[in-house]
Amino acid sequence: MRILITGGAGFIGSHLCDRFLGEGHHVICMDNLITGSIENISHLRKEKKFKFVKRDVTKYINIDGNLDAILHFASPASPIDYIKLPIQTLKVGSLGTHNALGLAKEKKAKILIASTSEVYGDPLVHPQKETYWGNVNPIGPRGVYDEAKRFAEAITMAYHRVHRIDTKIVRIFNTYGERMRLKDGRVVPNFIFQALKGKPLTIYGNGKQTRSFSYVSDTVDGIVKLLNSKLNEPVNIGNPCEYTILEFAKIIQKLTDSKSKIVFQELPCDDPKVRQPDITKAKKLLKWSPKISVEEGIGRTIKWFKKKI
Ligand code: UDP
């Protein structure tokens, strides 16, 4: 296949580039580098089947030649990024998705849109099944990401229904691993960075809020299986093993062998109280389930962070 990956220099995007090149496909990586980084793809620059295009997907995009598949992964994804870049976040989820869908229509390519567990907002149903419609504050600081992704899902289904494009929507739950930025702001890089530097681990709120963490290779496997499937409705991809943030901080302390203390700071506005994917659908229809335990995945991530610090 000849595949376009928007946000291909980002955290998950760059792992997707590796994966498709490894399977012998041609990959065009498009990124405007506002949160992605050239370093994530620098090892691929000499690959004959790889091409990098620095471009903003919210402006009109065109690609010479055929395309078989598009994966739209461009977007700020860390709360500190989308709160700092609210308009870019809204535009990449709306105008960017529109452009990606238009290109898929023109090229008769299938397209997979990266959505998120944030479409469920601060969920009132737990764990979250794909049939749950969510509890999102449209005008809160997180609304820029949540509503952009909800719009992305809506326009994707409209293109599927009206233009009969083969569309897919993956709802990605918290994913971590190599290539997350040290100062990404999300809980995994924050805690690992703090623990390795001997600084206090910053828990927001009382630490009783929960998250469920998936290692990047598992998330990428789920995405590839969804792309290769016949499904057009959204599918949750994530690891259901759920921890409170306080429990998670203690895991990081243990795995880094760190003497860092824990400090409590203010909880950000609209921070979801619980989150755990119901992955029944992915298990049944994609024959996918996560394989890497938190201990193993966090262990690999710590190793990578040690090299970067
Ligand atoms: N969090 C925390 N300390 C940090 C960073 C995050 O306690 O240094 C909390 C955050 O408030 C949230 C959870 O960890 O409850 C996960 O945050 P993250 O930014 O990783 O992503 P989210 O799941 O909220 O999108």
Side-chain angles (χ1 to χ4, degrees), residues 79 142 174 186-187 190 202-204 209 211 245 271 275:
R142 297 176 88 100
N174 295 65
R186 282 178 282 192
V187 69
N190 269 14
T202 53
I203 290 191
Y204 302 157
Q209 72 272 35
R211 293 294 186 273
I245 293 303
D271 197 286
R275 183 179 291 156

Side-chain angles (χ1 to χ4, degrees), residues 157-173:
M157 291 310 295
Y159 265 68
H160 173 66
R161 292 184 185 117
V162 175
H163 297 303
R164 309 222 168 267
I165 297 175
D166 185 9
T167 59
K168 282 105 189 24
I169 296 170
V170 57
R171 290 188 181 150
I172 302 170
F173 283 65

Side-chain angles (χ1 to χ4, degrees), residues 146-162:
D146 303 9
E147 295 295 5
K149 292 292 190 181
R150 288 168 69 95
F151 174 86
E153 290 199 6
I155 193 171
T156 300
M157 291 310 295
Y159 265 68
H160 173 66
R161 292 184 185 117
V162 175

Side-chain angles (χ1 to χ4, degrees), residues 238-249:
N239 190 325
C241 70
E242 183 183 8
Y243 300 93
T244 67
I245 293 303
L246 184 57
E247 285 167 342
F248 191 65

Side-chain angles (χ1 to χ4, degrees), residues 34-271:
I34 62 167
T35 57
S37 125
I38 281 289
E39 206 189 329
N40 288 340
I41 48 163
S42 56
H43 61 293
L44 300 175
R45 301 225 52 180
K46 289 199 179 117
E47 292 271 348
K48 284 200 183 65
K49 293 180 175 174
F50 180 75
K51 190 174 161 196
F52 171 67
V53 192
K54 185 169 183 286
R55 198 168 306 160
D56 180 350
V57 65
T58 70
K59 312 265 162 59
Y60 175 78
I61 52 168
N62 194 21
I63 296 288
D64 288 337
N66 72 303
L67 278 180
D68 302 292
I70 299 173
L71 290 98
H72 181 44
F73 273 68
S75 179
S78 166
I80 59 164
D81 286 331
Y82 54 70
I83 286 163
K84 201 165 57 195
L85 302 165
I87 296 170
Q88 289 92 329
T89 303
L90 281 158
K91 284 171 76 175
V92 75
S94 55
L95 307 179
T97 305
H98 186 211
N99 287 341
L101 287 163
L103 187 62
K105 177 168 161 253
E106 164 74 23
K107 302 283 184 186
K108 300 187 172 48
K110 59 181 169 180
I111 177 164
L112 183 146
I113 302 290
S115 185
T116 166
S117 52
E118 284 279 330
V119 298
Y120 303 119
D122 187 5
L124 305 176
V125 167
H126 192 68
Q128 293 77 54
K129 271 190 202 311
E130 290 87 347
T131 46
Y132 177 47
W133 292 349
N135 177 40
V136 170
N137 173 4
I139 57 164
R142 297 176 88 100
V144 297
Y145 185 63
D146 303 9
E147 295 295 5
K149 292 292 190 181
R150 288 168 69 95
F151 174 86
E153 290 199 6
I155 193 171
T156 300
M157 291 310 295
Y159 265 68
H160 173 66
R161 292 184 185 117
V162 175
H163 297 303
R164 309 222 168 267
I165 297 175
D166 185 9
T167 59
K168 282 105 189 24
I169 296 170
V170 57
R171 290 188 181 150
I172 302 170
F173 283 65
N174 295 65
T175 296
Y176 67 91
E178 294 88 339
R179 302 196 191 135
M180 286 187 107
R181 295 161 303 166
L182 304 184
K183 302 252 164 91
D184 176 277
R186 282 178 282 192
V187 69
V188 174
N190 269 14
F191 283 179
I192 295 180
F193 184 73
Q194 291 161 348
L196 293 179
K197 286 278 200 184
K199 294 186 174 162
L201 272 56
T202 53
I203 290 191
Y204 302 157
N206 59 16
K208 288 193 180 143
Q209 72 272 35
T210 69
R211 293 294 186 273
S212 311
F213 298 99
S214 175
Y215 182 61
V216 64
S217 65
D218 279 333
T219 298
V220 163
D221 275 346
I223 293 165
V224 172
K225 284 200 162 149
L226 178 59
L227 181 73
N228 293 334
S229 78
K230 295 204 160 22
L231 299 182
N232 298 119
E233 304 269 314
V235 179
N236 289 340
I237 293 292
N239 190 325
C241 70
E242 183 183 8
Y243 300 93
T244 67
I245 293 303
L246 184 57
E247 285 167 342
F248 191 65
K250 290 181 179 161
I251 293 175
I252 301 284
Q253 278 178 324
K254 192 170 139 225
L255 295 177
T256 50
D257 206 10
S258 160
K259 300 208 167 31
S260 287
K261 289 186 305 196
I262 285 176
V263 293
F264 293 89
Q265 297 185 349
E266 199 184 335
L267 187 69
C269 178
D270 297 333
D271 197 286

